[in-house]
Amino acid sequence: MKPNNETLELLNRHGSVRQYKDTPVSEEQLAAIIGAAQMASTSSNVQAYSVISVTDPGLRSQLAALAGNQAYIEQAPVFLVWCADLYRLREASTPHLAGGNSYEDTTENLIVATVDVALAAQNAAVAAESLGLGIVYIGGIRSKIAEVSELLGLPELVYPVFGMCVGYPAARAGLRPRLPLQAVLHHNGYDTATTLEQVKAYDEESRVYMRERTGGANDTPWSAMMAKRISEPARMQMKDFLQAKGFLRR
Amino acid sequence: MKPNNETLELLNRHGSVRQYKDTPVSEEQLAAIIGAAQMASTSSNVQAYSVISVTDPGLRSQLAALAGNQAYIEQAPVFLVWCADLYRLREASTPHLAGGNSYEDTTENLIVATVDVALAAQNAAVAAESLGLGIVYIGGIRSKIAEVSELLGLPELVYPVFGMCVGYPAARAGLRPRLPLQAVLHHNGYDTATTLEQVKAYDEESRVYMRERTGGANDTPWSAMMAKRISEPARMQMKDFLQAKGFLRR
């Protein structure tokens, strides 16, 4: 029998929300969402993330422009910027280090902080959806990452990984089909043949989905969309930016 | 009134599980867990992750040794290795690229894939816990990342980000207190003074927690534990390894 419960149903009906009602999200709701985020697993308890709630209208509108003018960034009652944060950890550690070596600037620690913030944010997303709210992740804030960091006064060893709109949905998009399970789940080793075979099936499925969603105007398969995406240089400043902020130096 | 529901309660009682019963996890349960993982948000639908379920006992025991001999890696009925995966995307794209440029090797795309796999894995964690199972993330597989990748036959543009044990809990640890909400939640900008002030309060709280947990043997505050952690070089091979695998080249 297929396992089911309230939480699984919630996870399985996730779709990003890009139109929000005016209805506010209360302080208590926000605290419950961030509190649930904090309970996610964290590597050796480093808790290497911070989240910035942006309510100031001027700031919000500047961030929306920097992220590529997506209207919902201004419309959503809550806009959160999720940051990987090794600054707190480094500052808290300094008095104990007695001037000795420290390794916050490694590639390993960039991964630790990036994973930590993503686990916390996904718990926040699930918590918000459990309250009847909708969310959308905003990777667009990385397009102008230096400007976003400056606006939010991010210190060294902090970088904005993604934004997140939260609010009551005014409209919901249909659920977008995902790759077949067998494309992502391997057994005892990576199976290149199966994953690529499954992509072919998914290409057909995604064509049908796009055709229906666009009234026939678009039937691009997934692999062609991915090709378009990786054929264009995007956010090429990331390495220099992260190194300037104290990450990824070795 | 403090918002509450079944899902919030589930998120708020998360604690890592390091002792498992023999009771197996069924194929249907695993499919439900990975299916829920697939419904997490993904950057522009790239779905840049793969997950490898390791059931072969020999393989499992080698992985446990490589990850630092944590007994539960062998004991848990399910052991998953979550991988950031740009290989599938690049291979699927190649026929459409007609020999043109492609940018899968950027720092931006390493972040995209690392975030994607973490969001999916956290949905899997929540799904598993909703079924009465427990989980623990295993960052230790990165300690011998080249050997783990070799054992699992990971192609270029795939790297193992963390493992995850899944099974019925035989014992649960107490909930570990997190940083105060105000340490991680900022308003309209990063507040360095508040976050560091809150660390002081947390240092006291974590001393009490450690003292109780160890019967008085240990009362190290959080900041001293963090200092110990960043004063030691850890996984210094990560940058070279990732670049050799085709990531992070620019």
Side-chain angles (χ1 to χ4, degrees), chain B residues 66-126:
Chain B
L66 291 170
N69 281 314
Q70 297 155 308
Y72 38 95
I73 299 179
E74 282 191 79
Q75 283 163 3
V78 172
F79 185 66
L80 303 174
V81 179
W82 292 90
C83 304
D85 184 351
L86 295 168
Y87 168 84
R88 182 198 302 120
L89 186 153
R90 205 271 315 272
E91 290 298 296
S93 298
T94 302
H96 303 280
L97 289 174
N101 287 333
S102 75
Y103 294 88
E104 64 278 3
D105 59 355
T106 61
T107 301
E108 162 65 12
N109 279 327
L110 174 73
I111 292 169
V112 163
T114 304
V115 168
D116 250 36
V117 70
L119 301 186
Q122 186 55 19
N123 256 21
V126 173

Side-chain angles (χ1 to χ4, degrees), chain A residues 60-101:
Chain A
R60 189 80 84 88
S61 118
Q62 289 176 80
L63 285 174
L66 291 170
N69 281 312
Q70 297 155 308
Y72 38 95
I73 299 178
E74 283 191 79
Q75 282 162 4
V78 172
F79 185 65
L80 303 174
V81 178
W82 292 90
C83 303
D85 184 351
L86 295 168
Y87 168 84
R88 182 196 305 118
L89 186 152
R90 205 271 315 271
E91 291 298 298
S93 297
T94 301
H96 304 280
L97 289 174
N101 287 334

Side-chain angles (χ1 to χ4, degrees), chain A residues 38 55 85 122-123 178 190, chain B residues 38 85 122-123 178 190:
Chain A
Q38 290 192 270
T55 48
D85 184 351
Q122 187 55 19
N123 256 20
R178 297 297 202 263
Y190 194 99
Chain B
Q38 291 191 270
D85 184 351
Q122 186 55 19
N123 256 21
R178 297 298 201 264
Y190 194 101

Side-chain angles (χ1 to χ4, degrees), chain B residues 191-233:
Chain B
D191 182 346
T192 54
T194 302
T195 201
L196 298 178
E197 213 170 87
Q198 293 293 329
V199 165
K200 293 203 177 115
Y202 186 57
D203 269 352
E204 274 317 300
E205 193 183 351
S206 58
R207 281 184 107 121
V208 172
Y209 171 78
M210 287 306 289
R211 208 180 291 143
E212 284 171 3
R213 195 174 149 175
T214 62
N218 182 338
D219 73 342
T220 315
W222 181 77
S223 59
M225 289 190 276
M226 294 302 110
K228 184 167 185 311
R229 194 174 184 284
I230 65 164
S231 68
E232 290 161 1

Side-chain angles (χ1 to χ4, degrees), chain A residues 39-46 116 119, chain B residues 13-22 60 64 67-79 129 132-140 162-178 209-210 213 229 235:
Chain A
M39 290 309 295
S41 292
T42 159
S43 178
S44 304
N45 202 27
V46 294
D116 250 36
L119 300 185
Chain B
R13 68 171 178 259
H14 166 74
S16 296
V17 168
R18 295 187 173 83
Q19 292 183 57
Y20 295 93
K21 294 184 183 165
D22 286 340
R60 189 81 83 88
N69 281 314
Q70 297 155 308
Y72 38 95
I73 299 179
E74 282 191 79
Q75 283 163 3
V78 172
F79 185 66
E129 291 177 343
L133 298 161
I135 67 111
V136 61
Y137 281 89
I138 308 291
F162 41 72
M164 183 187 279
C165 299
V166 185
Y168 288 95
R172 290 183 183 275
L175 296 193
R176 194 206 287 263
R178 297 298 201 264
Y209 171 78
M210 287 306 289
R213 195 174 149 175
R229 194 174 184 284
R235 302 172 189 157

Side-chain angles (χ1 to χ4, degrees), chain A residues 53 69 71 121 145 214:
Chain A
S53 168
N69 281 312
I145 195 166
T214 62

Side-chain angles (χ1 to χ4, degrees), chain A residues 8 37 41 58 65 76 83 92 95 115 124 134 138 142 183 185 201 205 222 229 236:
Chain A
L8 282 173
S41 292
C83 303
V115 167
I138 308 291
R142 292 198 304 278
L185 178 58
E205 193 184 353
W222 181 78
R229 194 174 183 285
M236 299 300 285

